[in-house]
Amino acid sequence: MVGLLGRTRAQSTRRPSTAHHQHGSHEGKHRRGPSNGLRSALSGRSVAGQVFVLQVVIVLLLVVAAAVALVLQVRHDSTQEARNRSLAVAETFANTPGTRAALSAPHPTALLQPSAEAARKASKVDFIVVLNTDAIRYTHPKPDRIGKKFVGTTAPVLAGHSITEQVNGTLGPLVQATVPIKAPDGKVVGMVSAGITTANVGGAADHQLPLLLGAAGVALALATTSTALVSRRLLRQTHGLGPYEMTRMYEHHDAVLHSVREGVIIVGGEGQLLLANDEANRLLDLPADAEGQHVQKLGLDAGTAELLASGRVATDEVHLVGDQLLAINQRPTDLQGGPAGSVATLRDSTELRALSGRAETARERLKLLYDAGVGIGTSLDVTRTAEELAEVAVPRFADFVTVDLADAVLNGQEPDAGAGLRRTAVGGIRKDAPLYPVGEHIGFVPSTPQAHSLRTGEAVVEPDLGGAPGWLAQDLQRTAQVVDYGIHSLITVPLRVGPLVMGVVNFWRSEKPEPFDVEDLALAEELVARAAVSIDNARRYTREHTMAVTLQRSLLPRTLPDQSALDLAYRYLPAQAGVGGDWFDVLPLPGARVAVVVGDVVGHGLLAAATMGRLRTAVHNFSALDLPPDELLGLLDELVGRIDQDETTEDGRAAVTGATCVYAVYDPTTRRCTVARAGHPPPAVIRPDGGVEFPDVPAGPPLGLGGLPFETAELELAEGSRLVLYTDGLVEDRERDIDVGLELLRTALAGADRSPEATCQAVLDALLPARPSDDIALIVARTHALAADRIASWEVPSEPAAVGEVRASVSRQLARWGLDELAFTTELILSELVTNAIRYGNGPIGVRVLLDRTLICEVFDASSTSPHLRYAATTDEGGRGLFLVAQLTDRWGTRYTAEGKVIWAEQPLP
């Protein structure tokens, strides 16, 4: 080969010398008579002149055709280059880390515009535009175009294909490429378009056009001289270099060939090695007589030899040669009519691959931490947060992950030092690992890595579990099973927030033979540190939620009072997301009547629960006054208004914005129910035959608004009817309108012969959402009527003599009821009450005695004045009657009616 190159250099040296000599002789002839030859060629109509004119025409046509072809070729090449560059830039930017993540950010333009402009300037394209799937721009070189519709074809891109096209865009005619941005699952989440305007594409051709026109003019000028002059000038262009310059050129080429840091190999068409430079000999360790031999016989590995012998195109194809990774690029030499064969370049990429591997590992770890930040802490549940940590770490970091937390942390409290841990979450590549199961209470012995982490707050890496006596001492049988299973390495990291250690996280490795190292330990600490914050937040939320639920339940009735008017069943379900202010109550009233109340304080949290307690207490107090429902709601309205004023925050906004309430009083003696509501959903009534209706009860404004009176509705309920009161959380939520909820409630309530308990369960089965966003209070009351034979009443004349007749009538009635034991005290009580009514009240006067759970005596009159209990002095002649009544009865009191008042007293039955 060296001899061949020498002969080639010698021939090249001789050829220019000969040409130079011939050129010199021709030059002498031209000096002798160029003017005469030109005039002779151009004169007359001789054949020479015709040939000369024909030659000029032909040259002119050839020059024009060449110029046009070259312009078109340049424009075509420039356009193709623009297409290739636009496609490469678009694909590079679409696959740049962070582009896809920025699309899901709250402000994609703020993240993408700077990087898009920087990439555009660096890649020398005219624009890089990032689009969403609706073809709306997030970036553009002209900011006023951002947010507008993209000009171009997007349907194939949304289908996952890249396209290149020429369009008339916002920057004018241009060449652009559009590529998809794909999520890991292959779904197209966005698009990137890059392009170059037609003005810049055609710039190269426009710059060359003057040169082409000048060359055409020179060619025409040369054609007008003579054929000899043209021949001589062509000879000069062909052999312009002398022997010295040609030799120097070959020497330079040879020096460069053998001094470059890349190996160069030329292989002939039959597979024989024609040339290998010094770097190629070193990289492939070729024998000294390699040139001229077939590449299959040079001792190369099969893959490399096959590639070099095949002559196929290869780009950065990596082959392991010895202990080196070689990147091989190969191209054939006969693409443009050259000799058969191929030329290949070889580059040592061992260090580059090592650096690339380390960079890939770093990228994977950063991606893991990013996913941990996004995927851990999605709910305020301690157990779920621990499970999310295990899901993120398996299998990308560890083969198995276990999370052990103190019981106090699971309950929202701070852990006690020295207390054992409970296995809260387990994640792994398989389900049959012999690790402690979820729910197991674990007490770590002092020698274990877990105990060390809990004691010192430091992470521990145990590279060889089989040779770790401290860890093996935990449970000899179980640890032996773990080692036999193939788990060989462990990292234990404490779940710590500040000085508070809530538990430990264990990362186990079994599939990869390499043990955990110091870099893995640092990554595990960072991963657990992020999870610890989320677990602590969930713990605090659990504590506060538990406190709020405890407060709320302490403010709600634990049992319902004994009474005979209603059969009751209720349900109370707190919201999953937070404690609300829903409440209910059942209040026995004088005269065998019962009040049922359901309310809802606006808002959630401790403040709503505390306000609910205040309102419930207020209803108890107001009901003791035996007020009508509309008056009671009016007092509650004033109370809520004062609460709002007391709770006003520094910025002037009230922390509690109001409440709703429905209050119903049922009288079993008349079967009448008086109902009033303040902004609350209407009650439902189920008739004994199973029909459902929503009575027309005036709504009234919510409590706390003030300014408008409340109205009542009188309902007459047949015995066995069911009165249903509830809060809006049962019939309304974010996904269901209240009208739809009321229809669902009507359907669920329909049906006869169901107990209140069964009715409650049927309603919840039909309407309860999977995750209630608001509290739900529901109470169902089935009505009873007090039998007529248990009611006795008399009209009393307004004269003292009538008192004796009342005593006699009452004694006879008590005898019929079998209550002779109460006759004396009852006569005494009625004598005092009727005497007071005759003396101080206005007629008409009436007496009614009810036999219920107690014996109830009532005296009616038209006066609105109420007697007061007082202690009479020893010298007073009166004032002892009500004192005796109070001593002889369990309760007594006064209630006002539209016609006057009623003084009542209750005695326990014997």
Side-chain angles (χ1 to χ4, degrees), residues 140-339:
H140 197 277
K142 295 182 178 180
D144 60 335
R145 303 296 199 275
I146 295 176
K148 297 182 178 180
K149 192 76 173 181
F150 172 70
V151 178
T153 303
T154 59
V157 183
L158 293 175
H161 306 291
S162 300
I163 66 167
T164 305
E165 59 183 346
Q166 290 183 254
V167 298
N168 191 4
T170 58
L171 300 178
L174 49 84
V175 176
Q176 65 182 17
T178 308
V179 300
I181 302 174
K182 297 182 179 179
D185 59 355
K187 180 181 178 182
V188 175
V189 298
M191 298 174 284
V192 174
S193 180
I196 302 174
T197 60
T198 303
N200 291 334
V201 170
D206 294 340
H207 288 308
Q208 294 183 11
L209 187 58
L211 180 62
L212 293 174
L213 295 177
V218 171
L220 289 174
L222 293 176
T224 58
T225 57
S226 66
T227 304
L229 184 59
V230 172
S231 300
R232 187 179 66 178
R233 290 180 180 252
L234 289 176
L235 183 61
R236 286 183 179 179
Q237 292 176 6
T238 306
H239 301 287
L241 293 176
Y244 174 75
E245 289 79 6
M246 292 291 290
T247 302
R248 186 175 62 177
M249 180 184 68
Y250 280 113
E251 289 175 350
H252 286 175
H253 288 178
D254 190 62
V256 170
L257 180 65
H258 291 283
S259 62
V260 293
R261 289 292 305 274
E262 287 191 357
V264 179
I265 286 181
I266 300 176
V267 179
E270 301 298 327
Q272 71 278 15
L273 179 62
L274 300 180
L275 175 66
N277 68 349
D278 296 343
E279 185 68 8
N281 280 283
R282 185 186 69 82
L283 294 175
L284 298 177
D285 193 19
L286 298 175
D289 58 348
E291 294 183 355
Q293 297 188 37
H294 199 278
V295 293
Q296 297 281 11
K297 300 179 180 180
L298 298 179
L300 303 176
D301 64 279
T304 304
E306 185 276 330
L307 171 62
L308 297 176
S310 66
R312 61 182 173 84
V313 175
T315 302
D316 286 335
E317 191 171 310
V318 179
H319 289 258
L320 180 61
V321 179
D323 57 353
Q324 302 175 103
L325 288 172
L326 301 184
I328 302 177
N329 290 274
Q330 183 169 269
R331 296 291 185 273
T333 58
D334 57 354
L335 293 179
Q336 297 181 354

Side-chain angles (χ1 to χ4, degrees), residues 90 133 174 292 478 533 563 624 627-628 729 742 804 835 878 897 909:
T133 54
L174 49 84
R478 185 177 293 275
V533 174
Q563 44 80 37
L627 299 174
L742 290 176
T835 300
T897 66
L909 298 178

Side-chain angles (χ1 to χ4, degrees), residues 476-779:
L476 295 178
Q477 181 179 2
R478 185 177 293 275
T479 53
Q481 293 174 350
V482 171
V483 174
D484 294 341
Y485 186 79
I487 298 176
H488 59 81
S489 186
L490 164 69
I491 290 179
T492 296
V493 184
L495 266 164
R496 182 180 64 183
V497 177
L500 181 66
V501 179
M502 299 176 289
V504 293
V505 180
N506 305 297
F507 300 93
W508 313 83
R509 178 171 286 179
S510 63
E511 293 295 313
K512 295 178 64 175
E514 301 84 4
F516 286 118
D517 55 20
V518 176
E519 292 185 0
D520 295 324
L521 180 64
L523 177 60
E525 289 179 317
E526 179 67 23
L527 193 62
V528 173
R530 300 192 179 197
V533 174
S534 298
I535 290 178
D536 187 53
N537 289 338
R539 178 189 67 83
R540 293 172 184 269
Y541 172 79
T542 301
R543 180 186 62 190
E544 294 176 1
H545 183 72
T546 302
M547 292 173 56
V549 170
T550 302
L551 172 62
Q552 184 187 47
R553 292 196 177 278
S554 69
L555 297 174
L556 291 171
R558 290 181 172 83
T559 58
L560 298 180
D562 294 333
Q563 44 80 37
S564 303
L566 300 172
D567 289 337
L568 296 164
Y570 69 91
R571 294 288 189 276
Y572 184 84
L573 300 174
Q576 296 291 330
V579 173
D582 290 13
W583 55 283
F584 66 93
D585 224 330
V586 178
L587 306 169
L589 298 177
R593 295 170 302 133
V594 179
V596 181
V597 58
V598 172
D600 182 3
V601 176
V602 175
H604 291 83
L606 290 175
L607 181 59
T611 304
M612 174 267 288
R614 298 168 72 175
L615 292 182
R616 180 169 177 257
T617 302
V619 171
H620 271 263
N621 295 333
F622 295 151
S623 66
L625 301 176
D626 210 347
L627 299 174
D630 54 340
E631 294 184 19
L632 186 142
L633 291 182
L635 294 176
L636 280 182
D637 181 61
E638 295 180 7
L639 175 62
V640 173
R642 290 196 298 272
I643 292 175
D644 283 351
Q645 294 175 0
D646 294 340
E647 298 295 340
T648 300
T649 57
E650 294 180 357
D651 58 2
R653 294 179 300 176
V656 178
T657 59
T660 64
C661 182
V662 58
Y663 188 84
V665 177
Y666 175 68
D667 188 346
T669 64
T670 61
R671 293 184 288 104
R672 288 189 173 276
C673 182
T674 306
V675 185
R677 62 189 179 112
H680 204 83
V685 175
I686 310 172
R687 297 188 298 272
D689 60 1
V692 180
E693 62 182 8
F694 292 95
D696 185 14
V697 180
L703 300 176
L705 296 183
L708 294 176
F710 297 96
E711 301 179 49
T712 60
E714 291 283 343
L715 309 178
E716 185 171 350
L717 303 179
E719 185 173 9
S721 299
R722 283 166 285 171
L723 179 67
V724 181
L725 305 181
Y726 52 91
T727 55
D728 60 353
L730 180 67
V731 294
E732 184 180 20
D733 57 26
R734 296 186 182 93
E735 300 178 356
R736 183 171 59 201
D737 187 73
I738 188 170
D739 292 335
V740 177
L742 290 176
E743 286 303 315
L744 292 175
L745 178 61
R746 184 194 299 273
T747 303
L749 292 175
D753 299 330
R754 278 199 300 198
S755 66
E757 189 70 29
T759 304
C760 285
Q761 191 59 46
V763 169
L764 293 184
D765 291 342
L767 278 82
L768 183 65
R771 184 177 177 84
S773 59
D774 194 6
D775 291 5
I776 296 175
L778 170 67
I779 188 165

Side-chain angles (χ1 to χ4, degrees), residues 448-472:
T448 58
Q450 292 86 350
H452 178 80
S453 292
L454 292 172
R455 186 171 56 252
T456 64
E458 298 177 352
V460 178
V461 58
E462 196 65 66
D464 183 13
L465 292 179
W471 174 77
L472 292 171

Side-chain angles (χ1 to χ4, degrees), residues 2 33 85 120 159 222 369 445 462 504 641 666 690 780 810:
V2 175
R85 188 193 304 175
R120 178 182 69 82
L222 293 176
L369 293 177
V445 300
E462 196 65 66
V504 293
Y666 175 68
V780 178
V810 169

Side-chain angles (χ1 to χ4, degrees), residues 409-443:
V409 174
L410 297 172
N411 297 326
Q413 305 301 320
E414 294 187 1
D416 299 328
L421 304 181
R422 188 172 300 278
R423 181 133 296 174
T424 307
V426 174
I429 57 177
R430 292 186 296 274
K431 301 295 184 181
D432 58 346
L435 302 169
Y436 287 116
V438 172
E440 183 87 6
H441 189 274
I442 307 171

